[in-house]
Amino acid sequence: MQKVKGLKSNDIVGLTASAGPVSHEQLKKAILALEELGFIVVVGETCSMNYRGYLAGAPQKRASELNDMFANQEIKAIFCLRGGYGSTQILPLLNRELIKRNPKLLVGYSDITALHLFLQQCCGIPSIHGPMPASDLIDADSFTKEDLYRLLKGDTSLERVCNPPGEKMEGVIPGRAGGILIGGNLSLLSALMGTPYEIDTKGKILILEEINEEPYKLDRMMTQLALGGKFSEAEGIVLGTWSGCYSDSNFNIKDLFKEMLEPFGKPVLFNLRAGHCSPMISLPLGAFVEIDADRGEFVIKEGIIQ
């Protein structure tokens, strides 16, 4: 895994829409949010596009723009405007050799999970699972912005990851483990099974999160990963946030995960506040991390910044 350069004030960053579209008003606020973090923003054409009503431009346009932003030496990092749907469409159109030669940070989560996997597995480049300008940074709290900025600068090594005040990480299955951090949104990981971009969890710490899915759908997607060997091959599992993933019945979602993951005998942490939530922790995908489910701890042992 390559390491990438961190950011500093007044660096130029790219803003691209690899998935869904936004309104003109949202775009203006998203640009302002990045500028308030201290960056100069190069806005991609896709950020103003709307294709089919649910995509920010045709796949070829979105892929070409992302390739160009990696090739542009003046752009020091790339922010994905929002999630939604569409990142999986552009994976075959991305220039992996060009991207390998021009490593830089990419920030996003949810649908951007597809790009994180591509960068990590096809290009050997780490990335940041963190807030996106149009969907999060527009009205982000200080914890979310400060945690992202600290990670962008490279302040990660030998650091205990701490939840926002009042939120406790807890062990679902006991034990300790270490490995490269990989993963993201459960729906995206499930959708990529059986493709050339399927997640490889061998020897890794797997992070999972989701939003607005019924427990039976979570069960189905988790079962798919289980049947594909993704839990048995992982060293440990971290469960992020599950906003809106609770049924009206007297059902504890934590019990679902415990029941499904216990047979694999791997340590499992629950309630890391990363994913569809606010405040939100930013995570360095590709970093070497250790988890201690007995003590409810998550530690970054080796970061992703040079």
Side-chain angles (χ1 to χ4, degrees):
M1 186 70 61
Q2 300 186 57
K3 290 194 175 186
V4 293
K5 292 181 179 179
L7 298 186
K8 58 184 183 300
S9 184
N10 292 320
D11 270 349
I12 297 174
V13 299
L15 182 60
T16 188
S18 64
V22 301
S23 68
H24 180 65
E25 188 62 30
Q26 281 179 298
L27 177 57
K28 287 196 301 183
K29 291 179 179 179
I31 295 168
L32 180 60
L34 287 178
E35 291 175 340
E36 288 177 345
L37 285 178
F39 304 126
I40 299 168
V41 186
V42 172
V43 182
E45 293 178 359
T46 59
C47 296
S48 300
M49 292 182 172
N50 189 311
Y51 180 72
R52 296 181 184 165
Y54 59 89
L55 296 167
Q60 294 81 1
K61 178 61 181 178
R62 285 178 283 127
S64 175
E65 184 168 279
L66 190 56
N67 286 331
D68 289 345
M69 285 192 173
F70 270 100
N72 188 332
Q73 297 299 307
E74 292 186 346
I75 293 176
K76 305 305 180 184
I78 301 169
F79 285 82
C80 296
L81 184 61
R82 60 157 291 193
Y85 167 73
S87 296
T88 52
Q89 293 179 328
I90 72 173
L91 297 181
L93 305 173
L94 295 177
N95 187 333
R96 65 180 67 191
E97 293 304 320
L98 179 151
I99 293 172
K100 281 182 186 178
R101 296 194 302 269
N102 298 278
K104 62 188 68 174
L105 288 171
L106 179 136
V107 184
Y109 72 106
S110 194
D111 192 70
I112 312 306
T113 295
L115 299 183
H116 289 313
L117 286 184
F118 178 87
L119 291 174
Q120 192 167 342
Q121 298 185 162
C122 299
C123 305
I125 295 175
S127 53
I128 293 179
H129 183 282
M132 294 174 287
S135 54
D136 305 285
L137 291 179
I138 284 177
D139 53 6
D141 59 280
S142 58
F143 178 97
T144 298
K145 290 187 285 189
E146 289 169 8
D147 195 68
L148 171 63
Y149 191 67
R150 181 173 44 81
L151 185 54
L152 289 168
K153 292 190 299 180
D155 185 12
T156 59
S157 294
L158 299 176
E159 179 183 314
R160 182 179 174 183
V161 175
C162 296
N163 267 348
E167 293 286 353
K168 182 182 178 182
M169 272 184 282
E170 55 183 307
V172 174
I173 299 171
R176 298 177 60 186
I180 297 295
L181 185 64
I182 196 170
N185 183 260
L186 178 59
S187 294
L188 269 292
L189 298 178
S190 174
L192 288 169
M193 291 290 286
T195 75
Y197 311 100
E198 177 178 321
I199 190 170
D200 179 3
T201 62
K202 192 172 297 181
K204 297 182 174 70
I205 301 296
L206 174 62
I207 171 78
L208 298 172
E209 66 87 33
E210 191 52 88
I211 184 172
N212 295 338
E213 295 286 3
E214 289 286 334
Y216 80 89
K217 293 184 179 179
L218 298 180
D219 189 320
R220 182 178 64 202
M221 292 184 283
M222 293 286 287
T223 297
Q224 185 177 20
L225 295 186
L227 293 174
K230 303 309 174 184
F231 301 137
S232 60
E233 293 178 348
E235 292 296 312
I237 300 156
V238 179
L239 300 171
T241 55
W242 305 89
S243 304
C245 296
Y246 298 86
S247 66
D248 294 332
S249 62
N250 188 22
F251 177 85
N252 190 328
I253 196 170
K254 186 169 65 173
D255 292 339
L256 168 66
F257 292 126
K258 182 175 181 180
E259 180 182 326
M260 298 192 74
L261 295 173
E262 202 162 36
F264 300 101
K266 307 298 174 69
V268 178
L269 268 181
F270 182 77
N271 196 41
L272 176 69
R273 304 304 290 177
H276 292 83
C277 62
S278 181
M280 178 196 303
I281 292 172
S282 293
L283 295 173
L285 297 175
F288 188 89
V289 303
E290 290 183 352
I291 62 172
D292 186 335
D294 300 314
R295 301 176 64 179
E297 292 184 351
F298 182 111
V299 179
I300 299 168
K301 301 296 287 186
E302 184 177 352
I304 60 175
I305 305 298
Q306 292 176 353

